[in-house]
Amino acid sequence: MNSEFIIAVHSLVLLAHREDGMASSEEIAANVCTHPARVRKVLGCLRKLGYVSTREGSGGGYRLTCNPTEVTLADVYRAMSAGSLMPNWCSGDPEMDCMVGSSMQDVMNSVFCGAEKQLEAYFSNITIGGMLSNIEQGQLDAAGGRAGPIII
Amino acid sequence: MNSEFIIAVHSLVLLAHREDGMASSEEIAANVCTHPARVRKVLGCLRKLGYVSTREGSGGGYRLTCNPTEVTLADVYRAMSAGSLMPNWCSGDPEMDCMVGSSMQDVMNSVFCGAEKQLEAYFSNITIGGMLSNIEQGQLDAAGGRAGPIII
DNA sequence: TCATACTGTAATAATATCAATTACAGTTGG
DNA sequence: CCAACTGTAATTGATATTATTACAGTATGA
């Protein structure tokens, strides 16, 4: 899995958490624990898909332009990490004489395509808004002394 | 995803394809397209789980000791790659003041644990024997001029 | 209009991960 | 004893990932 997926999800949750839905790349980077340039790259991608808008110049930054309860992790996954489940490394060789060795790349490919569909189906049930309320709920629990593992 | 998963699956399918269920690390490595030492490491792991047995010394090698129609990719995944879905890289920091930044690691963790369960459920429906028959079937199709994408 | 505070983007450097290779001890069959 | 194996660890080399730097472009407001 691509770590840009994590940065994208974290950024969206953070923006959804803000009253005005806004933050600069520097603020987001500090919260995510990475470099502002990396945040700008990831959010630039989310902008092209309409999930955030940006304003350059002084006082600018990023603003959430989607409904957090409608955007799912599947959307983010497709945007940032599609195809990342399959390893880059490949076994076998189509030119090989052996039936097994020559077919393995195709077979693995279809296995991982199916796996990716499963993953997307799972992610499509988790929304940015859902993650945020989970966090807020967890925080309340902690305040009440009833903190426990967070379950989605 | 770990590429050792691919090596393990490929090796098991190859052994299942052999009449006597046997091959040396050198033969397997040639078929998988990697180094024999790497094959030995992976199959050493499968041996501990009882899927293959090994014989050292001259004329030795690996032999399949499981029923290929009973071993699923979920078994292999758990053996070789458990936990590999979650990226090593982590956003946020539990010590942080912000509710979002301090909770994100836990939340991501539960998201990826759920994702891994989904993946295992999918893999549990694919067996080594199933992959092998798929390959043999595909080969027959190709021979009959009806080759197409392999679907599992 | 100028300084300031941002984004966009590319290039580079630092680091971590992954795979290949080498090496050698231990085992077995002939 | 020799030849052909596995088991395992160490090293090297290749690749991927992340951080950092740099700077052009843009908006704001004094």
Side-chain angles (χ1 to χ4, degrees):
Chain A
M1 173 70 60
N2 204 318
S3 65
E4 293 189 353
F5 172 78
I6 290 182
I7 294 175
V9 171
H10 189 142
S11 302
L12 289 173
V13 172
L14 181 64
L15 289 175
H17 176 249
R18 292 285 179 99
E19 281 289 322
D20 54 2
M22 292 186 66
S24 70
S25 66
E26 197 163 345
E27 290 173 292
I28 297 172
N31 202 271
V32 168
C33 296
T34 187
H35 203 275
R38 207 168 173 216
V39 170
R40 292 200 287 270
K41 187 175 168 228
V42 169
L43 290 226
C45 187
L46 294 180
R47 172 177 54 86
K48 283 169 193 153
L49 294 160
Y51 299 127
V52 302
S53 68
T54 65
R55 209 176 65 216
E56 297 186 4
S58 177
Y62 299 88
R63 157 181 274 150
L64 197 67
T65 54
C66 59
N67 183 341
T69 63
E70 284 173 2
V71 177
T72 72
L73 297 202
D75 297 321
V76 180
Y77 180 81
R78 276 187 288 267
M80 307 303 306
S81 312
S84 69
L85 196 55
M86 163 112 70
N88 302 324
W89 194 88
C90 241
S91 80
D93 175 1
E95 303 303 316
M96 190 173 289
D97 218 16
C98 167
M99 184 192 293
V100 172
S102 63
S103 312
M104 195 52 73
Q105 288 188 10
D106 277 346
V107 175
M108 279 295 174
N109 201 56
S110 74
V111 167
F112 281 108
C113 282
E116 191 137 317
K117 277 190 191 129
Q118 281 293 112
L119 202 60
E120 281 186 36
Y122 167 75
F123 280 151
S124 70
N125 287 315
I126 304 175
T127 67
I128 298 296
M131 289 184 70
L132 180 58
S133 20
N134 209 299
I135 288 171
E136 287 164 348
Q137 190 59 41
Q139 202 71 6
L140 289 176
D141 284 352
R146 291 175 287 108
I150 294 172
I151 295 159
I152 294 189
Chain B
M1 173 73 59
N2 204 319
S3 66
E4 294 190 352
F5 173 79
I6 290 182
I7 294 175
V9 171
H10 189 142
S11 302
L12 289 173
V13 172
L14 181 64
L15 289 175
H17 175 249
R18 292 287 179 97
E19 281 289 322
D20 54 1
M22 292 186 67
S24 71
S25 67
E26 198 164 343
E27 291 174 291
I28 297 172
N31 201 271
V32 168
C33 297
T34 188
H35 203 274
R38 211 171 169 213
V39 170
R40 292 200 287 272
K41 187 175 168 229
V42 170
L43 291 225
C45 187
L46 295 180
R47 170 176 55 84
K48 283 168 192 156
L49 294 160
Y51 298 128
V52 302
S53 69
T54 65
R55 210 175 65 216
E56 297 186 6
S58 177
Y62 299 88
R63 158 180 273 150
L64 198 68
T65 54
C66 59
N67 183 340
T69 63
E70 284 174 0
V71 177
T72 72
L73 297 202
D75 297 321
V76 180
Y77 180 81
R78 276 188 288 266
M80 308 303 306
S81 310
S84 68
L85 196 55
M86 163 112 72
N88 303 324
W89 194 89
C90 242
S91 80
D93 174 1
E95 304 303 317
M96 188 173 291
D97 217 18
C98 167
M99 184 192 291
V100 173
S102 64
S103 312
M104 194 53 72
Q105 288 187 10
D106 277 346
V107 174
M108 280 294 173
N109 200 56
S110 73
V111 166
F112 280 109
C113 281
E116 191 138 316
K117 277 190 191 127
Q118 280 294 113
L119 201 60
E120 281 186 35
Y122 167 75
F123 279 153
S124 70
N125 287 315
I126 304 175
T127 67
I128 298 297
M131 290 185 69
L132 180 58
S133 19
N134 208 299
I135 287 171
E136 286 164 348
Q137 189 59 39
Q139 203 70 7
L140 290 175
D141 284 352
R146 292 175 286 108
I150 294 173
I151 295 160
I152 295 187

